[in-house]
């Protein structure tokens, strides 16, 4: 049965393609209604559709397009209306008039011209208007978020299901292991002490890379060392004062996950080629490594369902992948052990990052995240139970995955690269003893030592 709501969106939502975004989302969800710019700077309107579709629509309104900065979405149920067709965006003509007048008279403020032109771009020939847009945007509206400035052309649906006449659904080839709530909550921040030169090299390389990622993704480091120490000790109660906004987190997630999927693929590929070239067994490492990169890509695709990266972020991802792939490729040929240790350290940071997000959500610093639900792609991939599908739950799943990568790579870094079997693909003589597993039943954050998994020889 249909439901109708009226809604009001507060924040920086006018002149940022917000209504075009609302139209796009409403249309894809079969929601009818309208959106308009109100005089008080908000966007308001009404929406009607199936209750589940309306819930999703409200979630999209909370996120908004990348140029918007949504502070609050209020909505309430109203009477259903009959015979409404489609979802309309009103009043772009007044913006067009304002802009034209402004340009002609050369007496507009920088912001209003930028806003008006951005509204126009959603409605008129994009190709013809783009040079003007770039020119005026530079003159009129200084870029506020370097990483999300796409969007002259409106929001696109990311990876819609391909239209294959005979295929109904494509399932993931690697089903995700089941994690319990207790297991995920038990994931902890941890650090493996560097013991050898190879460890120190890996740790230094990771810190260098992390510095680059922080700068590129606009990460705000924690200024208050005491708070950071407390948060590292206990992420659930520790307080970090310089919390990032939801949008800044989203940019960081997308950038980090796009890089995180590289090392497993490089290592798996090289071991695959080595096995064929030397006509030797690989002892089960390749599958785990490829599955890790698949899992990282699922993290990325999940975030891509929630935010649209701008051209600058896309450029950064492109550059980072080029550098990181080639660096890993060459270094894995020289010292695979050091590379696994390096990834182990990188995943330690990932666990820390997601723990910080969780503590920020729990401390009420990320209200938008607190209201958001996991997208369908995530619900299906992680088999999220019906009452555990919030953004917090999603971050819990992802953090648990990162803790698994941390453990796997530290463990692989402890092994004989050429001869040892993959402990995560092995059957043990005594299965009752704790041993490496694919899920997180036995957690060993700093990795399993060789003697404990392979045994004394
Ligand atoms: Fe990840
Ligand atoms: Fe990871």
């Amino acid at each position: 049965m249909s439901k109708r709501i009226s809604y009001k969106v507060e924040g920086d939502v006018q002149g940022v393609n917000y209504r075009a975004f609302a139209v796009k989302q409403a249309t894809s969800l079969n929601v009818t209604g309208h959106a308009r710019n109100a005089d008080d700077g908000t966007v308001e309107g009404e929406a009607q559709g199936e209750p589940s579709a309306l819930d999703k629509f409200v979630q999209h309104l909370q996120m908004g397009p990348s140029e918007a900065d949504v502070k609050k979405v209020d909505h309430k149920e109203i009477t259903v209306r009959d015979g409404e067709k489609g979802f309309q965006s009103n009043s772009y003509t007044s913006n067009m008039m304002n802009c034209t007048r402004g340009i002609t008279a050369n007496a507009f403020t920088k912001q209003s011209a930028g806003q008006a032109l951005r509204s126009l771009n959603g409605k008129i020939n994009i190709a013809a208007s783009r040079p003007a847009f770039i020119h005026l945007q530079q003159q009129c509206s200084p870029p506020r978020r370097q990483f999300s400035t796409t969007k002259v052309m409106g929001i696109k649906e990311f990876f819609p299901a391909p239209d294959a006449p005979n295929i109904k659904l494509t399932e993931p080839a690697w089903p995700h292991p089941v994690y319990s709530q207790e297991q995920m909550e038990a994931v902890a921040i941890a650090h493996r002490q560097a013991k050898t030169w190879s460890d120190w090299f890996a740790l230094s390389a990771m810190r260098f890379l992390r510095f680059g990622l922080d700068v590129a993704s606009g990460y705000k480091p924690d200024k208050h060392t005491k708070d950071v120490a407390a948060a590292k000790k206990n992420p659930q109660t520790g307080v970090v004062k310089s919390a990032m906004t939801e949008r800044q987190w989203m940019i960081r997630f997308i950038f980090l996950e796009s890089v995180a999927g590289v090392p497993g693929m490089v290592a798996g590929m090289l071991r695959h080629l080595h096995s064929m070239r030397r006509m030797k067994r690989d002892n089960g490492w390749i599958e785990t490594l490829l599955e890790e990169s698949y899992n990282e890509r699922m993290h990325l695709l999940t975030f891509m369902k929630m935010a649209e990266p701008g051209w600058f972020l896309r450029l950064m991802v492109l550059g980072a992948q080029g550098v990181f792939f080639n660096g890993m490729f060459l270094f894995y040929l020289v010292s695979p052990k050091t590379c696994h240790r390096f990834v182990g350290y990188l995943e330690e940071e990932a666990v820390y990052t997601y723990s910080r997000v969780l503590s920020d959500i729990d401390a009420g610093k990320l209200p938008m995240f607190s209201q958001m639900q996991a997208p369908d792609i995530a619900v299906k991939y992680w088999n999220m139970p019906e009452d555990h599908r919030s953004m917090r739950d999603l971050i819990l799943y992802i953090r648990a995955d990162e803790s698994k990568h941390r453990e796997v790579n530290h463990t692989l870094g402890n092994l004989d690269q050429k001869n040892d079997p993959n402990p995560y693909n092995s059957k043990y003589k005594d299965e009752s003893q704790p041993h490496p597993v694919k899920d997180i039943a036995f957690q060993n954050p700093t990795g399993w030592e060789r003697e404990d998994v392979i045994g004394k020889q």
Side-chain angles (χ1 to χ4, degrees), residues 290-454:
L290 294 185
E291 192 173 353
E292 176 187 299
S293 56
Y294 173 78
N295 175 254
E296 296 289 15
R297 196 169 57 85
M298 289 307 290
H299 294 175
L300 175 67
L301 296 186
T302 298
F303 290 127
M304 295 286 284
K305 283 284 185 188
M306 297 190 223
E308 187 189 16
W311 63 267
F312 191 73
L313 179 55
R314 286 171 181 273
L315 209 64
M316 293 299 297
V317 168
L318 201 75
Q321 189 176 93
V323 171
F324 197 43
F325 177 88
N326 287 295
M328 277 299 291
F329 177 81
L330 292 174
F331 212 82
Y332 201 86
L333 292 172
V334 178
S335 176
K337 218 177 168 89
T338 311
C339 287
H340 286 301
R341 184 70 70 225
F342 167 81
V343 178
Y345 284 134
L346 204 61
E347 301 291 355
E348 286 181 2
E349 293 297 321
V351 172
Y352 173 64
T353 295
Y354 286 114
S355 296
R356 192 183 152 191
V357 178
L358 287 174
S359 68
D360 276 7
I361 291 176
D362 292 345
K365 292 176 181 172
L366 300 170
M368 210 190 293
F369 278 0
S370 305
Q371 291 178 37
M372 281 167 59
Q373 294 292 305
D376 283 351
I377 188 173
V379 171
K380 279 188 196 135
Y381 177 59
W382 279 283
N383 259 318
M384 298 171 82
E386 216 160 309
D387 51 343
H388 284 287
R389 292 180 180 174
S390 67
M391 181 68 176
R392 186 185 189 280
D393 292 312
L394 175 64
I395 299 290
L396 267 179
Y397 275 96
I398 294 178
R399 183 180 70 160
D401 286 347
E402 308 300 7
S403 78
K404 194 76 231 173
H405 304 158
R406 174 181 68 181
E407 182 197 307
V408 166
N409 280 281
H410 275 321
T411 305
L412 296 182
N414 292 339
L415 302 182
D416 177 339
Q417 306 291 303
K418 289 205 172 129
N419 300 313
D420 284 343
N422 175 5
Y424 292 90
N425 260 352
S426 299
K427 281 209 182 330
Y428 289 80
K429 288 178 183 164
D430 183 358
E431 292 280 338
S432 66
Q433 291 298 314
H435 58 80
V437 282
K438 285 190 177 181
D439 57 24
I440 51 172
F442 302 127
Q443 299 187 29
N444 194 344
T446 54
W448 298 80
E449 299 305 321
R450 183 168 186 273
E451 273 195 359
D452 298 335
V453 279
I454 307 295

Side-chain angles (χ1 to χ4, degrees), residues 103 117 121 126-138 140:
I103 290 167
L117 204 54
N121 275 315
I126 301 299
S129 68
R130 192 162 169 77
F133 169 78
I134 292 165
H135 176 66
L136 273 171
Q137 194 188 33
Q138 282 164 355
C140 305

